[in-house]
Amino acid sequence: MKKGVMRTGHIQIRVLDLDEGLAHYRDRLGLLEMDRDDTRVFLKGWTECDKYSVVLREADEAGMDFLGFKVDSDARLDELRADLEAAGYATEELPAGDLPDCGRRITFVAGTGHRFELYADKVSTGRHGVGHHNPEAWPEDLKGMKATRFDHALLYGEDLASVYTLFTDVLGFWLSEQAMDGEERIAQFFTCSMKEHEIAFIKQEGNTGAFHHASFYLESWQDVLHAADIISMHDISLDIGPTRHGLTHGATIYFFDPSGNRNETFCGGDYFFPDHPVTTWDAEQLGKAVFYHTRELNERFLTVTT
Amino acid sequence: MKKGVMRTGHIQIRVLDLDEGLAHYRDRLGLLEMDRDDTRVFLKGWTECDKYSVVLREADEAGMDFLGFKVDSDARLDELRADLEAAGYATEELPAGDLPDCGRRITFVAGTGHRFELYADKVSTGRHGVGHHNPEAWPEDLKGMKATRFDHALLYGEDLASVYTLFTDVLGFWLSEQAMDGEERIAQFFTCSMKEHEIAFIKQEGNTGAFHHASFYLESWQDVLHAADIISMHDISLDIGPTRHGLTHGATIYFFDPSGNRNETFCGGDYFFPDHPVTTWDAEQLGKAVFYHTRELNERFLTVTT
Amino acid sequence: MKKGVMRTGHIQIRVLDLDEGLAHYRDRLGLLEMDRDDTRVFLKGWTECDKYSVVLREADEAGMDFLGFKVDSDARLDELRADLEAAGYATEELPAGDLPDCGRRITFVAGTGHRFELYADKVSTGRHGVGHHNPEAWPEDLKGMKATRFDHALLYGEDLASVYTLFTDVLGFWLSEQAMDGEERIAQFFTCSMKEHEIAFIKQEGNTGAFHHASFYLESWQDVLHAADIISMHDISLDIGPTRHGLTHGATIYFFDPSGNRNETFCGGDYFFPDHPVTTWDAEQLGKAVFYHTRELNERFLTVTT
Amino acid sequence: MKKGVMRTGHIQIRVLDLDEGLAHYRDRLGLLEMDRDDTRVFLKGWTECDKYSVVLREADEAGMDFLGFKVDSDARLDELRADLEAAGYATEELPAGDLPDCGRRITFVAGTGHRFELYADKVSTGRHGVGHHNPEAWPEDLKGMKATRFDHALLYGEDLASVYTLFTDVLGFWLSEQAMDGEERIAQFFTCSMKEHEIAFIKQEGNTGAFHHASFYLESWQDVLHAADIISMHDISLDIGPTRHGLTHGATIYFFDPSGNRNETFCGGDYFFPDHPVTTWDAEQLGKAVFYHTRELNERFLTVTT
């Protein structure tokens, strides 16, 4: 948190059918339905204190509308907006309430075509079921995979170099891990917290705004197994897993929501402090870097929604 | 990390016999022996990037010599020293190398009698056995409990009010959790990272510099069970556990090194972001707050080394 | 299964209030309510194929009414009855249906005052929720601790010698583990399957028909932690744990139902084959044999219902 | 154990290079090297009481030499030999010591071309490192995947019908699970213990004596993850996993020894009692039956050594 960005705070995902999408994210992933408006549903994981972190919007095409980062004060929004403008990004301010229960947001588009936004305020509802006064260990009413929080996102794009400058210089993230093809950085993982990544990018030519996956944190490797079981029980489309990543070493499953958006549920993995050396994977080891056990990329790894 | 303090970086623990102490921390906890000088041994957990985090010093009495916090730049040392002085703390600067492989340190004594220090530089040796270039998931040569890192410390003291101001105002930590006896804060947990606590204090009258425990992070609850097994196999003095704390919800064991210093090995538990509500436990629930399953303090909970 | 006894098949437990008892065994342990009659409720764990394994009966005093062993054929009942009579046991036959959905039962009282019975037939309802045709991995509607099966019972008594002969010679069980006080066997664990124990006895003078605990199997050590959490959340009286036993090495919690009957939920532990050496614990090590981590018996360990 | 067969007791596997094979089974799987003769190495898992369960023999072709079942008494050997002969099997007796530390063996070839044998005696060395007198929970000197025991084998073959009769009628196993293609049984899982399978057969035309895998039991799903990590760390050829089977519901990895023999390490899964209904999978669901998460057979599933 070099410049006040605390974490990846919310994501708006497009689904082809809102009811079907809600059933997936609520009943299978185990997110909590917190609110609705005409076209959207607002959800979160039970350990998250803010009111929501995932917004599902019904649309004709799957993909990610935007990813929002929460900053530590309203004043930061103006500072960071100035820094973004100075770096050549066109920014726009969306007023408080444009996203329900959320304060004003500064929105802009990165060189990879992804829309990001910054916000400082959101209604806090506290930890679900347990609260913050003599809190029990966990709530007993969780469903499905019992996702504890929206954790991070992985995006694909062409212009990774400008995104590198954007996240490190302008937004004050740290580079935690990278994959290098000679001198070219083909994968870059950024964090502003102790998580090994709050957001990551992998090089893919010819795509704009490509969305690889939204990731949700589970309590344990036991829960990763149970998540895979739930995928089978409900005929959810599996990508890969249970397995482990080389990058970050998280223990993971990739699968798809009914609209084709990829989800990840994972546990464990490395942690970050700002004085940690950057971890580097060689391009020749990219298979192992991504899927540590099979040591090769699967075909579907190139599939994205946009 | 409001004012540049990154984490609890090292602790110097007094042991009555250095060889015996080393055997405990290295062969039972599974820390790595990194270096020695005439009177001390330097160790760390395998995931820690800096050269060491635990210093064992042979002495006639057990206890903690000091706890050190790592800050994000050398310049921070001067800023924080000035802030400490302004807040009425007498500070002293120890030159680089006074602690081997460590840069200059600013040392001071808190109102509870504990000696703390700040430092910005230490030799980085990277993650043990795996490094940072195409790193494997974990090293195969770990021993005993396979402690991954020195995580935090719990201290006892009388003047919790001044320590509250010291950590929140002067050093820029956040209060994550507390126990309240009416208006009095009898337990206070502070963090400067995503960990639920980097350091914690519990009220105990009449003691100065009292050291409750140093805590080490394990990969999983399975490892907590195995740690308890190792305690039994080697006739180590057990305090309590495996169990869970109410405060932070970490899954834990307390036990003693051969000199009577309490250790904790734990996994899991809550995480922190600066916008999280403070978690409050009522004094009447202190038993459950500390030992979530038994719901009562054990006698030994009052035992400390100083 | 030397003489056709397959396993410990059911237990009838007396509770002071049937609704309260049912709420405990169903909503906290996670057994399934399968049936009721005027005075009793019939339950089972989800992996058990027979219709029920636990019978709760409302009574003025807690304790165990009887423990039933299932044999592999109706003909065995007559053979074993003859063997029991030949060994001096007075037996009685209870007709089919006396216990609903259960075939005829041969009942007798052991030298320790415990009532046991043998039966060969019970209505089979199959694995709950998943069945036996393309079965999913587990059912999603489980509650509380998600107990998978009634596993075994531990009883206290004075005349362990006669019980030894009863179980090994007459009923064809094997002795898997024992604790020896000189030449006297003060703990004896018997099995007729691959479980390390189907039934166990510990020496206690002056008690008749003393019931120490009924034990329920959980999927994993993660589930043992969650069981302990549920104990706390619902103010259930905890005896000890999570911990491990030395005898059998199972990972365990002891706690009490609302009537004071002790329950165990556990996972793992050793397995048995008939050619395995008997495991022996010395009386001086009884603390470690029972509670492997604390290495001492707690006061409550002597408490039983009858 | 209807006719005295206790378990799958040993397997002799052919490897192309004995040192390389030993390094794999000892240092990666974590079996213990117990003995050697001129052409063979004898190993076992640490929980096994008999001296060895896996025999590696150097040969020009990989595959399984024979699989041995341990029976509960020497007299059973003669009874079962007579039953085998009566059923049309040519049997041979190998004298005690032909296999070192093992009593006389009755050997025969099944309709699928697999060589099986029965034996009643083998030198017992007890549980490795802990023994049977005040035994600790586990030994601290285990390597690699820490395989606890040789558990079962899966074989491929054409004449499954005769094998069905052989195992159920002649050897007294129970059928626990099956896959049915209309009226034809294309997969059959047999047990004589509480394990869901001691041996299994899957239909494959045109192959004789085909060896699919030897399976080793691990303590937990955490250990399955670590086993997969070790596979990656040592560039072992992975087949599939970590994942779960539908049949038996065990949580598993398949991989290959340096000679191309498939190994499995797994944990959990269903248990068996003789009164359990047979579990049936439909041929159309065979993908899910074998690999519960991907729900499809991989190409390599057809690969065997012979």
Side-chain angles (χ1 to χ4, degrees), chain A residues 14 23 27 29 60 76 88 98 118 121-122 140 146 179 191 217 274 291 296 299 305:
Chain A
R14 292 189 302 275
D27 301 338
L29 261 79
D60 292 338
R76 291 281 195 187
D98 175 86
L118 307 172
D121 292 299
K122 195 184 281 175
E140 290 188 272
K146 304 184 181 182
T191 186
Y217 196 72
F291 299 126
E296 55 188 25
E299 267 176 47
T305 49

Side-chain angles (χ1 to χ4, degrees), chain B:
Chain B
M1 207 174 76
K2 208 158 38 182
K3 292 180 71 177
V5 181
M6 291 193 297
R7 68 171 171 273
T8 299
H10 59 227
I11 187 169
Q12 185 164 304
I13 297 170
R14 291 188 303 275
V15 294
L16 305 182
D17 180 288
L18 196 55
D19 289 337
E20 197 181 49
L22 175 58
H24 174 85
Y25 286 90
R26 184 191 57 201
D27 301 339
R28 304 304 165 233
L29 261 80
L31 298 179
L32 305 156
E33 182 183 342
M34 299 301 291
D35 214 341
R36 283 184 186 239
D37 64 14
D38 287 353
T39 57
R40 297 178 296 190
V41 181
F42 301 83
L43 307 105
K44 72 165 186 175
W46 75 269
T47 68
E48 296 181 279
C49 297
D50 277 357
K51 185 172 173 185
Y52 58 86
S53 58
V54 173
V55 184
L56 301 181
R57 181 173 75 84
E58 187 165 291
D60 291 339
E61 212 179 358
M64 179 185 90
D65 279 338
F66 56 81
L67 192 68
F69 304 105
K70 191 172 188 190
V71 304
D72 64 354
S73 72
D74 190 73
R76 291 282 195 187
L77 292 180
D78 297 321
E79 291 168 28
L80 289 165
R81 184 176 192 180
D83 292 348
L84 283 163
E85 293 279 349
Y89 290 89
T91 66
E92 192 185 348
E93 179 169 328
L94 301 169
D98 176 86
L99 200 59
D101 297 311
C102 185
R104 67 187 179 112
R105 296 135 65 211
I106 307 301
T107 176
F108 62 96
V109 176
T112 48
H114 299 96
R115 180 163 291 279
F116 297 117
E117 61 182 39
L118 307 171
Y119 66 99
D121 292 300
K122 194 183 283 175
V123 166
S124 173
T125 53
R127 291 211 158 116
H128 167 79
V130 299
H132 298 267
H133 184 212
N134 301 330
E136 302 292 353
W138 39 271
E140 289 188 270
D141 62 351
L142 300 175
K143 288 183 182 173
M145 302 182 191
K146 305 184 181 182
T148 67
R149 67 175 183 234
F150 168 52
D151 189 87
H152 67 267
L154 171 60
L155 307 175
Y156 276 11
E158 195 157 339
D159 183 9
L160 260 60
S162 79
V163 165
Y164 176 83
T165 307
L166 168 64
F167 276 89
T168 55
D169 287 1
V170 185
L171 298 175
F173 283 64
W174 294 280
L175 179 73
S176 59
E177 307 215 4
Q178 60 186 353
M180 299 299 292
D181 187 0
E183 296 302 303
E184 191 189 5
R185 191 178 289 110
I186 58 170
Q188 49 197 23
F189 284 50
F190 300 110
T191 187
C192 54
S193 72
M194 207 172 144
K195 289 187 212 164
E196 190 73 354
H197 55 337
E198 291 280 350
I199 184 166
F201 292 86
I202 288 184
K203 174 92 178 185
Q204 188 180 50
E205 297 196 13
N207 236 330
T208 295
F211 174 46
H212 189 270
H213 73 258
S215 182
F216 300 89
Y217 195 72
L218 302 185
E219 183 196 349
S220 69
W221 174 237
Q222 190 77 18
D223 286 350
V224 175
L225 174 61
H226 287 182
D229 293 336
I230 287 168
I231 285 168
S232 235
M233 291 174 195
H234 295 280
D235 284 323
I236 294 170
S237 175
L238 176 71
D239 182 357
I240 194 170
T243 189
R244 191 194 281 282
H245 295 303
L247 284 150
T248 80
H249 294 122
T252 180
I253 321 174
Y254 283 165
F255 54 100
F256 298 97
D257 76 10
S259 304
N261 296 297
R262 191 185 277 95
N263 298 153
E264 174 181 59
T265 49
F266 83 109
C267 76
D270 300 324
Y271 61 92
F272 181 81
F273 279 111
D275 59 342
H276 280 191
V278 172
T279 290
T280 301
W281 287 84
D282 298 330
E284 307 84 62
Q285 296 265 12
L286 194 62
K288 188 171 179 180
V290 175
F291 299 126
Y292 185 64
H293 297 146
T294 62
R295 287 155 277 167
E296 55 187 24
L297 297 180
N298 61 359
E299 268 175 47
R300 283 178 294 237
F301 187 68
L302 299 176
T303 312
V304 290
T305 50
T306 50

Side-chain angles (χ1 to χ4, degrees), chain A residues 229 232 236 244 292 295, chain D residues 221 229 232 236 244 292 295:
Chain A
D229 293 337
S232 236
I236 293 171
R244 189 195 281 282
Y292 184 65
R295 288 158 275 166
Chain D
W221 174 236
D229 293 338
S232 236
I236 294 170
R244 190 195 282 282
Y292 185 64
R295 287 155 277 166

Side-chain angles (χ1 to χ4, degrees), chain C residues 198-234:
Chain C
E198 292 280 350
I199 182 165
F201 292 85
I202 287 184
K203 174 91 176 184
Q204 189 181 49
E205 297 195 14
N207 236 331
T208 294
F211 174 45
H212 188 270
H213 73 258
S215 183
F216 301 89
Y217 196 71
L218 302 185
E219 182 195 350
S220 70
W221 175 236
Q222 191 76 21
D223 285 351
V224 174
L225 174 60
H226 286 182
D229 294 336
I230 287 168
I231 285 168
S232 235
M233 290 173 193
H234 294 282

